[in-house]
Amino acid sequence: MYKKQSVNIAVVNFEAIKENKTDNLNRMRKYINEAHTKNVQVLVFPEMSLAGYCSSGDSEYAVANAESTDGPSALVISELAKKFEMWIVYGGTETVNDDLKHAYNSAFICSPEGKVTSYRKIHPVEGDWCISGQRLMMLDTEWGLMGVGISQDTYCSPEIARIYRANGCIAYLNLSALESFDNFQCYYSTHLEHLVSRDGMICASANLTGAGGPNGSNKFAGGSCVISPIPHYIKYMAGKADNTEPGLYTAGVDLTSISPESLITATFFKPQLYSELYQELADKVSSGRKLTYTSTVAKGPRVANVQCVTTWGNKAANLRMMIQYIEQAAKEKTDMIVFPEMALTGYAYSEPADDGNTMQFKESEVLPGKSSNLLSEYAQKYGMYIIYGFPEIKNRRIYNSAAILSPDGKQASFQKIHGILDEIKWATDGTKPNMLETEWGKMGISICMDGHNVPELGRYYAANGCTILIHLTATNYGGQYNPSKLPWYRQGRMGSYTIRDGMAVVSSNLLGKELENNPFAVYGGSSVTITKHTKTNNPRWGAPINMNGTNRAPYMTEPHMYITNLDMSGLGFDSSQFKPQLYANEYKKLEMLKKALLTKADSPK
């Protein structure tokens, strides 16, 4: 919980010149003095800002310029931090005790009391000289906890931000040294905006800019910014992703825009499940299994992504609508058709009638059942996968489920794991992921919050070899429907699975109004089918996302069926930036914390 209502945060678009550490330090001091004149309370410099960025070919330089937390540069900056009562975070290489050949890529943290600590990059890509850090770091500031990450820790590992937020962090401080490349803005902004909107905390990200090598061989992209969550959206408070100008960018952030509640108190946050999933992956690694996968096919399925309006509580009408789309998809020779969450019956909750039974209970079905058997005939007739949302009754419980009907007549279901809002009044949360083997590779299934707000499930799928993520949703906008913001929301949330985890995404959303006088029964459409954009593929950073035309007006807000030939080129998961044992351990701690909090809340006053 925040302790004060506002904080002044600044980030520096900093040009760090190699072989000129003294000059770098002097310019850092000038920025610190400027920050003081602007009443900055938290100041963030980029990754390796002190001596310049060191890559795999800079082993000797990186180690030679490494300092400890009580080294000369830390002494200078910590004195200024104490003098100005300011938190100052800067990047540099850090010495390793009794090791003259290696160093850490670290964030040096100088507190207003003049104390210096360090966070060591957990997912380094700088080469053999750089040793991986093993612990997270949260700063206990007068405004609340703030987590620290460096570059790939932020872009490739959403678990770290999630763990910080679950521990109560209000802000994430990201130090970065991303070079300019074709896809920089897409790569950079998608990750940061997703972090802010998903986890509901400030992100202050400082990136190097300008020429970085001895002869200007590196061209860094800048983009330093401060982003804050606001209801249903995010806001750039300072800087922007396409800004390359060196300088100090300051923001006064209203902390009341951040929920005072920690993520850990949310009913949909399930650290025990995540701990179990990541421990399973960690056990595979310890037994010698590799978690790096590449798509074995380039030509994926021809997919029909349906954005439809349902008739609430009327299965017969909805089945007719679905069959019309299926017949149309068959004419288009599609291999797979995906309908939204609860397409069979409608999604919205309404207070039950006198019998006490919700619409979802009354219309629920077993699997196989009457509707699935009917639709399965079409799946077999047309050699097509049919996936749709429905209320499933199983062991006398009702689930928000996805039916998966295969061309060979097999039927399976996935029960949504993360229920939310009024949904929890009728639906039981599922407990198990579901992966389907297809001729194009493995395919993972998720529903709404499972994909929008919970990257852990998608990461589990990707680490198990899935190259396609099917996502059914009934995304509403709480009565604050704004079409101009829909593409951002859907593109950022779902696009991260493609950019970061290497999966094509098919995400189908409901459209229109189901019930009157219910702000949560209005759905925004913006269904998306996402692959990598192979024409400008950069093997180091990955391709930008290709929306395949699915984010274009007017179709995003009209009933529509998008037909896409999924290009599987470049898809696959890179486990070099994945540490399942670390995450499993941290989620285990969070599960213990959550149990303790729940026990305390349930105790007699």
Side-chain angles (χ1 to χ4, degrees):
M1 182 175 180
Y2 51 83
K3 302 173 184 177
K4 295 187 176 182
Q5 291 195 334
S6 64
V7 58
N8 292 332
I9 301 178
V11 292
V12 182
N13 247 14
F14 190 74
E15 189 170 6
I17 308 300
K18 271 187 189 173
E19 313 296 346
N20 207 339
K21 185 176 175 181
T22 300
D23 180 63
N24 291 336
L25 180 59
N26 286 334
R27 284 185 292 113
M28 290 170 69
R29 293 171 66 182
K30 290 181 180 179
Y31 280 122
I32 294 169
N33 279 281
E34 180 185 351
H36 171 61
T37 65
K38 296 180 178 180
N39 298 315
V40 169
Q41 295 160 308
V42 179
L43 176 61
V44 185
F45 287 94
E47 178 181 11
M48 295 198 204
S49 46
L50 181 60
Y53 183 74
C54 301
S55 60
S56 57
D58 302 314
S59 177
E60 291 185 8
Y61 180 82
V63 176
N65 283 276
E67 295 188 16
S68 65
T69 54
D70 59 358
S73 299
L75 179 61
V76 170
I77 295 177
S78 64
E79 287 180 348
L80 290 172
K82 185 175 183 179
K83 177 181 178 181
F84 297 142
E85 297 182 338
M86 183 190 303
W87 286 91
I88 302 174
V89 184
Y90 70 94
T93 56
E94 182 183 2
T95 54
V96 180
N97 290 337
D98 302 320
D99 188 340
L100 300 179
K101 295 183 179 181
H102 301 93
Y104 297 108
N105 179 349
S106 294
F108 290 78
I109 299 116
C110 305
S111 75
E113 293 76 33
K115 182 180 178 181
V116 184
T117 54
S118 68
Y119 167 86
R120 297 159 181 170
K121 188 174 181 180
I122 293 173
H123 302 88
V125 294
E126 285 73 39
D128 292 341
W129 66 264
C130 191
I131 294 179
S132 173
Q134 301 297 323
R135 59 183 175 83
L136 306 183
M137 174 167 284
M138 291 172 280
L139 313 181
D140 189 5
T141 77
E142 60 184 292
W143 305 276
L145 294 173
M146 297 186 182
V148 182
I150 301 177
S151 196
Q152 268 59 37
D153 298 340
T154 308
Y155 311 127
C156 299
S157 304
E159 296 87 354
I160 291 179
R162 298 273 287 166
I163 292 163
Y164 282 151
R165 185 63 176 129
N167 275 289
C169 287
I170 61 164
Y172 187 106
L173 311 181
N174 175 48
L175 289 70
S176 187
L178 287 182
E179 297 177 37
S180 298
F181 53 93
D182 289 344
N183 318 318
F184 169 77
Q185 287 184 43
C186 176
Y187 181 91
Y188 188 69
S189 62
T190 296
H191 288 301
L192 300 183
E193 291 175 2
H194 188 200
L195 183 159
V196 173
S197 64
R198 178 195 66 215
D199 297 323
M201 60 179 169
I202 303 161
C203 180
S205 182
N207 192 42
L208 292 177
T209 194
N215 299 307
S217 56
N218 299 107
K219 299 292 184 182
F220 294 101
S224 300
C225 55
V226 179
I227 311 174
S228 178
I230 59 176
H232 307 288
Y233 203 46
I234 56 97
K235 183 177 181 180
Y236 279 81
M237 306 298 293
K240 53 184 180 179
D242 61 355
N243 177 31
T244 60
E245 289 297 316
L248 180 79
Y249 297 89
T250 303
V253 182
D254 179 5
L255 296 179
T256 61
S257 65
I258 300 169
S259 170
E261 300 298 327
S262 165
L263 176 64
I264 200 168
T265 61
T267 56
F268 67 82
F269 184 69
K270 301 178 182 292
Q272 181 173 342
L273 172 65
Y274 313 145
S275 179
E276 291 171 356
L277 295 180
Y278 282 110
Q279 190 59 58
E280 176 190 321
L281 295 170
D283 291 343
K284 289 183 178 180
V285 173
S286 63
S287 66
R289 295 271 298 277
K290 292 184 178 180
L291 301 182
T292 295
Y293 300 93
T294 302
S295 177
T296 57
V297 298
K299 184 180 179 181
R302 185 168 170 83
V303 175
N305 185 343
V306 178
Q307 178 171 284
C308 59
V309 178
T310 60
T311 303
W312 191 82
N314 192 331
K315 280 195 293 190
N318 293 326
L319 278 169
R320 288 194 296 271
M321 173 268 294
M322 293 168 70
I323 290 170
Q324 287 179 347
Y325 278 118
I326 292 168
E327 295 278 12
Q328 181 184 345
K331 292 177 182 178
E332 296 276 357
K333 300 186 183 302
T334 60
D335 303 302
M336 183 186 306
I337 186 168
V338 181
F339 291 93
E341 179 180 10
M342 296 294 288
L344 182 63
T345 62
Y347 171 82
Y349 172 80
S350 179
E351 290 293 337
D354 294 338
D355 60 6
N357 294 321
T358 64
M359 178 277 287
Q360 290 84 357
F361 175 83
K362 293 175 182 178
E363 301 298 329
S364 64
E365 294 190 3
V366 295
L367 193 83
K370 183 178 179 180
S371 298
S372 69
N373 287 337
L374 172 62
L375 295 177
S376 180
E377 293 178 7
Y378 287 90
Q380 295 172 72
K381 177 181 178 180
Y382 295 125
M384 180 191 303
Y385 287 93
I386 299 175
I387 303 171
Y388 66 92
F390 77 111
E392 180 181 14
I393 184 166
K394 188 174 183 179
N395 299 326
R396 294 185 291 182
R397 293 179 180 272
I398 309 299
Y399 295 91
N400 179 342
S401 293
I404 307 146
L405 312 180
S406 300
D408 60 4
K410 293 180 181 178
Q411 300 185 31
S413 67
F414 165 79
Q415 291 87 37
K416 182 177 180 179
I417 296 173
H418 302 87
I420 190 172
L421 299 175
D422 284 343
E423 182 184 334
I424 63 176
K425 296 178 180 179
W426 63 265
T428 298
D429 284 350
T431 59
K432 296 181 180 179
N434 192 332
M435 293 175 284
L436 184 68
E437 293 278 1
T438 75
E439 62 186 279
W440 309 283
K442 283 185 179 180
M443 187 166 69
I445 312 295
S446 66
I447 299 177
C448 200
M449 289 287 289
D450 297 334
H452 282 151
N453 290 64
V454 183
E456 290 88 349
L457 180 61
R459 298 275 280 170
Y460 174 81
Y461 284 146
N464 272 293
C466 290
T467 49
I468 300 175
L469 178 65
I470 301 298
H471 179 251
L472 289 65
T473 186
T475 300
N476 61 67
Y477 293 89
Q480 300 187 35
Y481 174 69
N482 187 335
S484 68
K485 296 178 181 178
L486 302 188
W488 164 83
Y489 180 89
R490 307 281 288 123
Q491 177 174 319
R493 294 290 180 94
M494 305 317 298
S496 64
Y497 294 108
T498 303
I499 294 177
R500 181 190 63 225
D501 302 322
M503 293 187 290
V505 176
V506 182
S507 180
S508 299
N509 192 23
L510 290 175
L511 182 70
K513 182 182 291 187
E514 282 185 342
L515 295 173
E516 295 295 333
N517 302 317
N518 185 338
F520 296 103
V522 182
Y523 310 101
S526 64
S527 297
V528 289
T529 301
I530 309 174
T531 56
K532 285 194 173 183
H533 203 307
T534 56
K535 291 183 179 179
T536 56
N537 187 30
N538 182 310
R540 182 175 181 187
W541 299 111
I545 51 179
N546 179 4
M547 302 299 291
N548 296 285
T550 56
N551 64 332
R552 295 177 184 170
Y555 303 121
M556 63 187 181
T557 54
E558 291 183 358
H560 195 68
M561 181 172 71
Y562 310 94
I563 305 293
T564 304
N565 294 314
L566 284 191
D567 184 353
M568 308 291 286
S569 302
L571 296 177
F573 186 71
D574 180 4
S575 64
S576 66
Q577 302 300 310
F578 188 64
K579 297 187 182 295
Q581 189 63 68
L582 172 66
Y583 312 142
N585 294 344
E586 292 295 333
Y587 283 122
K588 186 66 175 177
K589 294 177 188 176
L590 287 171
E591 172 58 21
M592 295 171 65
L593 176 60
K594 184 162 190 171
K595 287 181 177 178
L597 291 173
L598 291 175
T599 300
K600 182 178 180 180
D602 291 338
S603 299
K605 302 299 182 183

